[in-house]
Amino acid sequence: MPEAMVETRATDATRSVSTQQVDVAVVGAGFAGLYILHRLRKAGFSAVVLEEAGDVGGTWYWNRYPGARCDIQTIDYSYTFDPELDKAWTWSEKYATQPEILRYLGFVADRYDLRRDIRFGTKVKQATWDDASERWLISTDNGANVSCRHYIMATGCLSAPKPPEIDGVKDFKGEVYFTGRWPHEGVNLKGKRVAVIGTGSSGIQSIPLIAADAAQLTVFQRTPNFALPAGNGPQPTDRKTLFEGDRTTYREQARWSMAGVPYPQQTAVSWQLSDAERRERFEKAWAAGDLVHILTQLWADQAVDVDGNTIVGDLIREKIRNVVKDPEIAAALTPHDHPFGAKRPCLDTNYYATYNRPNVTLVNLRQEPIKEITADGITTDRRSFDVDVIVFATGFDAMTGAILAVHPITGRGGKPLSSVWAGGPQTYLGLTVAGFPNLFMITGPGSPSVLSNMAVSIEQHADWVVDRLIALRDAGFTSMEATETAQAGWTRHMADCSMLTLHRLANTWYTGANVPGKAQGVMPYTGGVGPYRSICNEVVGRGMLGFKLKGPGGAEQCNDGEIVRLQPDVRLVLGMLAEMNLPPIETMGAQGARDFLNEFNKGRPAGRPVGEVGEGMLQGADGPLPYKLYRPATPGPHPIVVYFHGGGWVLGDQQSDDPFCRDMCRRTGMIFVSVGYRHAPDYRFPAAAEDGYAATRWIAEHAADLGGKPGPVLVAGWSAGGNIAAVTCQLARDRGGPEIAGQLLLSPVTDCSFDRPSYIENATGYFLTRGLMFWFWDLYCSPADRTDPRVSPLRGKLEGLPPAFIVTSEFDPLRDEGIAYAEELAKAGVPVEQLKAQGHFHSSFVMVDVVITGVPGRVKMAEALRRFAGLPTQQSDASRHAPPPEVNAAAS
Ligand code: NA7
């Protein structure tokens, strides 16, 4: 629909002569604003960019402090939308300086003639949605107000400097500067006594240069940060060659990568590498001087697991100790309070060595907090420092601040954004907010933004928004707005994603912790750039899922729903499986399926070390059976858990759930004995059930020989193994033992009925399909036997069974029979706890170190097993991390 038609509906206010009428108004002329303006123009929209600064540049316009540079390699920190532009500009250094980046942005503005639609020196005072005209009304402090159909915040993430929060700044007689608002003409620090407060990126970049200039520098540090040497200089040839070899592929790989820089996913896990191999990788990364490299390329668990991360942290701590001569200063500079990467790490040039200079003093504010700023300088609660200049490198009210601090934004029904976000940002995709039609944010909270190469994310966000505006216009709609359902779903997905990384474990500006009183929570999207891109595309592919579109004459379209209901890593796993385009497992034949599973298991991360792993034979119902035993590193004797693997009574063996057994052995501090029971179709019902029972009895009888604690054992099992564990408990009760202290049933088969809702809802698409379950049942058990409690324990007597912990997954055909078993056990007076795992699938918890979001579930399972065994719920940390002794030969 032509804009003119819509404009006839505008209110008087929007038609005032002093109001500039445009299709789209954008705030900010930095990386994002410039590109959006270019795209809007090409798409035929009228647009204006409102910019407070005197020229283009955004963050690079304001942050002119000494040493300011980007810390993503500049080859990657560039626009990619126009291959000609890519070729027309060559960066002079690996990490360009602020002036060079500013020149680049000026060059882009000139090349596409962007300045003519940018109103510089213009601050937006307020923005209000007008429902009647379906337009945003924007007032400014300079020139005409603006009425626009769509309003885009291209205000960056770090544009609102944080107030100093220290008493007495106004009393100071000397000069005061903020790194984020550095004077354009520069500052002469020669011969002066300078104080720098803050040791984030800005402090770490500027401190060495200020130290070289000033007579005396005193650095006031609240939290030490990790920094690694940038090794700046000419562009490294490895990346340059890669880029120049095939620019298109290079850029495309960046777009689908996790961080927006084309590095492969690391697959080796830290415990698979020797100390020497880990050190070699680390030294290489240290020498590379590249944050994305060191954050992603050492080992797969470094960013997702505290233990894997501690190894990197320790190696960096060693580097700091080696550079800083005074051990006390080195200790003060060494971070211990956050995992490496959870707080923004920095790139430096001579940062740590600067503290060896005689004119530099470090004040550790953790030991002596600042009391006040006086006329002459800074007073801590121990001493006073007289200074001529104070530099605040104290950071920003990040992400939400960059939007809320600009001006009051009022949405539908007069609702202020500040009140909607009072408890933390609520967005859909980090791009839109329910109740704020036609308002878009570029790199807003909820998008990958600051956890990615901003250049790549900005282009993706901007392309998505402008493409939507085009599609909206083409379809004759005038507004689009996120629904509450979609937004709530995104908020939940954000929370799920935040369990993927260690960012939640640090108090940082990523979480709002740097601003007193600010709501806390991980604000950027931690699920990765590529996955985020695919989600945004999926929203479109699924008919603008989660958006309400409106047009003239009451035209309306709303395809409501949540875009991601799976856990983020489950989504990736299922996506990868779908891409493999495998034939259904049930068409492979039993041996073919076993071969497939063996191959498949070879690709998974090796399980973690435990104290000892042994193998042996035990007595089954009809002959010997193999078993695998996992013993904790802590001194025994330990309680024993008899474990039954999954595989539909057809697949798997005593070592097919090896990573799970290792993980649970470590978490519980108990022996796990995984039983190689007989399989169908060679051995049909009741072979597996009877083997399960016989094995449990044998293990209980031989507990002491196995190094276990005599007395009751515990049983656990996954899937068909959960079925065997449940059946074993019933048989043990009915056949006079052994005594079982508790049962852990993980996605168990409990019944032969296939008509529960989960069998229908999750029939396909989640790896374990209904068809596969039919096949398993057919191979194992003839229809006439299926109601026997030895295969359908739900149909057995449930009274008098050991306490149970039952785990079910939302996207699993077996979900409802697991829940039914838990409910019936409870009715029969058995103590039962349930874990209904949201967003998980049948294999989530056994895919150890792949489905990272399964960790909290396994923690709960381990706690339950320990409770059942009469142990304190949590192991002491010392015993959990005890170094494993030599792995011995077979236990028996
Ligand atoms: P950052 O990274 O937020 O760093 C700010 C620093 O200032 C940090 O060390 C803070 O300590 C410190 N700070 C903040 N407030 C105070 C007060 N009141 N007293 C003492 N110290 C304080 O901002 P930057 O400008 O360095 O970098 C921002 C981003 O730009 C960076 O991460 C890159 O993405 C580029 P804290 O750690 O909060 O204890």
Side-chain angles (χ1 to χ4, degrees):
M1 184 174 57
E3 279 295 290
M5 270 174 64
V6 181
E7 266 176 37
T8 56
R9 301 168 62 211
T11 61
D12 284 344
T14 68
R15 292 162 60 78
S16 126
V17 279
S18 63
T19 300
Q20 182 180 7
Q21 302 280 340
V22 287
D23 296 332
V24 188
V26 180
V27 186
F31 249 104
L34 293 179
Y35 178 52
I36 290 169
L37 177 57
H38 171 66
R39 282 248 23 218
L40 288 169
R41 274 211 204 136
K42 274 184 72 175
F45 290 105
S46 61
V48 64
V49 175
L50 304 165
E51 170 57 69
E52 186 183 352
D55 198 357
V56 300
T59 221
W60 300 107
Y61 176 92
W62 298 107
N63 285 271
R64 298 170 186 243
Y65 58 85
R69 291 177 189 273
C70 65
D71 48 18
I72 292 275
Q73 290 200 29
T74 347
I75 203 167
D76 299 305
Y77 190 70
S78 309
Y79 289 115
T80 69
F81 64 89
D82 180 353
E84 293 308 311
L85 169 65
D86 230 358
K87 283 190 201 136
W89 183 272
T90 308
W91 294 103
S92 67
E93 281 182 286
K94 179 179 171 189
Y95 297 107
T97 57
Q98 172 270 332
E100 186 174 5
I101 301 172
L102 195 56
R103 275 201 304 282
Y104 172 70
L105 293 171
F107 170 78
V108 171
D110 290 342
R111 186 177 171 98
Y112 302 100
D113 186 21
L114 298 175
R115 284 194 175 87
R116 68 183 156 87
D117 283 325
I118 304 175
R119 284 171 50 185
F120 293 110
T122 305
K123 201 165 156 42
V124 185
K125 290 199 316 207
Q126 87 179 34
T128 308
W129 172 254
D130 178 54
D131 237 341
S133 63
E134 291 189 294
R135 291 178 79 83
W136 282 96
L137 310 179
I138 291 155
S139 56
T140 72
D141 70 347
N142 181 12
N145 292 339
V146 177
S147 159
C148 56
R149 167 82 52 224
H150 302 285
Y151 189 40
I152 304 179
M153 301 299 290
T155 41
C157 295
L158 298 161
S159 47
K162 208 169 68 92
E165 300 148 8
I166 299 170
D167 291 340
V169 182
K170 286 208 178 79
D171 302 332
F172 182 58
K173 284 188 308 212
E175 302 159 56
V176 172
Y177 301 104
F178 286 79
T179 48
R181 290 287 181 273
W182 201 255
H184 288 201
E185 61 283 7
V187 179
N188 181 6
L189 298 173
K190 278 242 163 339
K192 293 185 182 157
R193 296 164 304 167
V194 181
V196 173
I197 304 178
T199 51
S201 280
S202 307
I204 284 175
Q205 286 186 332
S206 58
I207 282 166
L209 294 174
I210 294 177
D213 241 16
Q216 173 66 38
L217 169 65
T218 311
V219 177
F220 294 81
Q221 171 194 272
R222 190 161 68 181
T223 312
N225 218 336
F226 288 104
L228 77 151
N232 200 20
Q235 300 219 355
T237 42
D238 56 344
R239 297 210 74 71
K240 208 171 156 199
T241 314
L242 204 62
F243 174 55
E244 281 166 6
D246 184 351
R247 287 168 178 244
T248 311
T249 305
Y250 185 96
R251 294 300 191 208
E252 198 56 16
Q253 280 174 352
R255 292 184 187 115
W256 290 99
S257 66
M258 290 304 274
V261 178
Y263 279 117
Q265 280 281 96
Q266 195 43 245
T267 51
V269 280
S270 61
W271 59 92
Q272 273 181 309
L273 303 167
S274 66
D275 279 354
E277 285 168 325
R278 285 197 297 256
R279 184 169 285 275
E280 192 190 327
R281 283 173 180 233
F282 171 76
E283 292 295 347
K284 195 173 153 213
W286 191 257
D290 182 330
L291 281 178
V292 183
H293 183 131
I294 200 168
L295 285 166
T296 63
Q297 298 300 298
L298 294 177
W299 34 89
D301 48 313
Q302 69 179 92
V304 298
D305 181 89
V306 173
D307 293 343
N309 187 279
T310 303
I311 304 170
V312 196
D314 285 346
L315 289 164
I316 302 180
R317 285 185 271 269
E318 187 185 305
K319 289 280 183 198
I320 299 171
R321 278 196 301 275
N322 289 345
V323 175
V324 182
K325 289 191 184 132
D326 180 329
E328 211 176 306
I329 298 174
L333 286 167
T334 305
H336 285 287
D337 72 332
H338 62 274
F340 171 64
K343 191 182 180 97
R344 175 67 150 76
C346 306
L347 277 185
D348 76 276
T349 303
N350 297 328
Y351 175 64
Y352 293 116
T354 298
Y355 292 92
N356 295 332
R357 293 175 64 111
N359 71 332
V360 176
T361 307
L362 178 70
V363 179
N364 182 351
L365 298 181
R366 296 283 179 216
Q367 286 171 357
E368 46 175 321
I370 295 178
K371 241 168 71 186
E372 58 178 347
I373 292 176
T374 62
D376 299 318
I378 298 175
T379 305
T380 70
D381 64 6
R382 287 192 193 163
R383 36 192 178 153
S384 287
F385 298 86
D386 286 353
V387 294
D388 307 309
V389 179
I390 299 177
V391 174
F392 286 97
T394 41
F396 301 85
D397 180 355
M399 306 205 71
T400 46
I403 292 165
L404 296 176
V406 179
H407 52 60
I409 301 179
T410 309
R412 194 187 287 292
K415 235 187 203 170
L417 185 61
S418 53
S419 71
V420 175
W421 281 5
Q426 311 283 314
T427 74
Y428 184 34
L429 305 172
L431 294 165
T432 59
V433 185
F436 294 78
N438 294 358
L439 172 74
F440 300 94
M441 298 167 297
I442 305 301
T443 61
S447 78
S449 58
V450 288
L451 292 182
S452 69
N453 173 0
M454 288 289 269
V456 166
S457 285
I458 282 169
E459 281 192 342
Q460 185 272 337
H461 300 357
D463 283 337
W464 193 90
V465 169
V466 178
D467 288 345
R468 300 294 63 73
L469 300 193
I470 296 169
L472 210 64
R473 180 183 62 188
D474 291 351
F477 290 112
T478 45
S479 78
M480 68 180 270
E481 181 185 342
T483 68
E484 295 285 353
T485 311
Q487 183 162 285
W490 192 252
T491 304
R492 205 217 45 248
H493 177 58
M494 285 285 293
D496 290 344
C497 285
S498 75
M499 298 308 290
L500 278 182
T501 68
L502 303 177
H503 291 101
R504 67 186 185 285
L505 303 182
N507 293 325
T508 65
W509 59 258
Y510 293 146
T511 64
N514 67 329
V515 176
K518 188 167 173 173
Q520 304 282 299
V522 180
M523 290 187 287
Y525 182 74
T526 51
V529 165
Y532 175 83
R533 179 181 293 268
S534 80
I535 291 168
C536 290
N537 292 351
E538 193 180 327
V539 166
V540 179
R542 290 170 66 185
M544 291 301 287
L545 186 73
F547 281 105
K548 207 183 305 158
L549 312 182
K550 284 189 177 172
E556 204 170 313
Q557 173 196 310
C558 182
N559 182 14
D560 205 1
E562 299 169 35
I563 184 64
V564 188
R565 293 182 56 211
L566 292 167
Q567 288 292 331
D569 38 11
V570 170
R571 181 177 179 274
L572 290 183
V573 167
L574 290 174
M576 267 153 38
L577 286 167
E579 268 175 31
M580 287 164 76
N581 217 1
L582 296 166
I585 293 174
E586 59 271 29
T587 62
M588 297 178 184
Q591 194 49 49
R594 284 179 193 140
D595 294 344
F596 163 76
L597 187 72
N598 285 342
E599 271 314 297
F600 190 75
N601 282 346
K602 280 185 197 157
R604 71 187 172 186
R608 295 184 190 224
V610 296
E612 178 190 354
V613 179
E615 288 174 4
M617 299 300 287
L618 54 75
Q619 190 56 40
D622 190 24
L625 299 174
Y627 70 84
K628 198 161 178 184
L629 182 143
Y630 302 84
R631 193 189 312 284
T634 49
H638 309 92
I640 297 184
V641 181
V642 183
Y643 179 75
F644 302 106
H645 65 83
W649 307 286
V650 176
L651 311 177
D653 56 28
Q654 67 279 8
Q655 58 180 20
S656 53
D657 292 344
D658 178 83
F660 179 75
C661 290
R662 287 170 180 270
D663 187 79
M664 292 301 288
C665 167
R666 287 163 62 94
R667 289 183 194 282
T668 56
M670 299 185 195
I671 292 175
F672 264 62
V673 182
S674 175
V675 178
Y677 56 87
R678 285 171 297 161
H679 288 148
D682 315 3
Y683 300 97
R684 285 167 60 83
F685 173 81
E690 291 297 342
D691 274 352
Y693 171 66
T696 306
R697 208 177 48 198
W698 187 92
I699 291 165
E701 283 164 6
H702 293 81
D705 307 337
L706 295 170
K709 211 166 160 183
V713 293
L714 300 102
V715 294
W718 168 53
S719 193
N723 173 271
I724 296 169
V727 170
T728 295
C729 291
Q730 296 192 9
L731 295 179
R733 175 199 56 197
D734 299 342
R735 297 180 182 175
E739 204 185 326
I740 296 177
Q743 47 181 327
L744 166 65
L745 310 181
L746 177 51
S747 304
V749 180
T750 70
D751 193 31
C752 56
S753 158
F754 306 118
D755 55 8
R756 292 189 171 82
S758 59
Y759 247 102
I760 296 152
E761 290 162 22
N762 303 321
T764 57
Y766 304 106
F767 197 56
L768 177 66
T769 62
R770 184 167 56 177
L772 183 55
M773 278 311 299
F774 288 168
W775 185 66
F776 285 147
W777 272 98
D778 287 345
L779 289 189
Y780 180 53
C781 190
S782 60
D785 291 330
R786 288 186 186 177
T787 53
D788 189 313
R790 285 177 299 168
V791 69
S792 290
L794 185 60
R795 293 173 193 245
K797 181 185 153 204
L798 302 181
E799 285 76 14
L801 290 173
F805 190 85
I806 299 185
V807 183
T808 50
S809 290
E810 187 181 5
F811 296 97
D812 181 357
L814 305 185
R815 179 192 68 204
D816 293 344
E817 64 195 81
I819 292 172
Y821 197 59
E823 288 171 353
E824 292 306 313
L825 282 178
K827 277 190 211 154
V830 176
V832 184
E833 288 166 73
Q834 283 198 66
L835 169 61
K836 295 180 180 173
Q838 165 254 320
H840 283 287
F841 80 132
H842 186 70
S843 307
S844 279
F845 295 102
V846 292
M847 295 192 82
V848 177
D849 295 308
V850 175
V851 176
I852 307 296
T853 53
V855 171
R858 285 198 303 277
V859 169
K860 290 206 176 80
M861 293 177 216
E863 286 172 357
L865 286 174
R866 285 181 65 83
R867 256 195 321 275
F868 295 156
L871 299 174
T873 314
Q874 311 237 313
Q875 292 185 76
S876 73
D877 246 23
S879 64
R880 215 162 61 78
H881 294 294
E886 284 292 294
V887 174
N888 294 335
S892 67

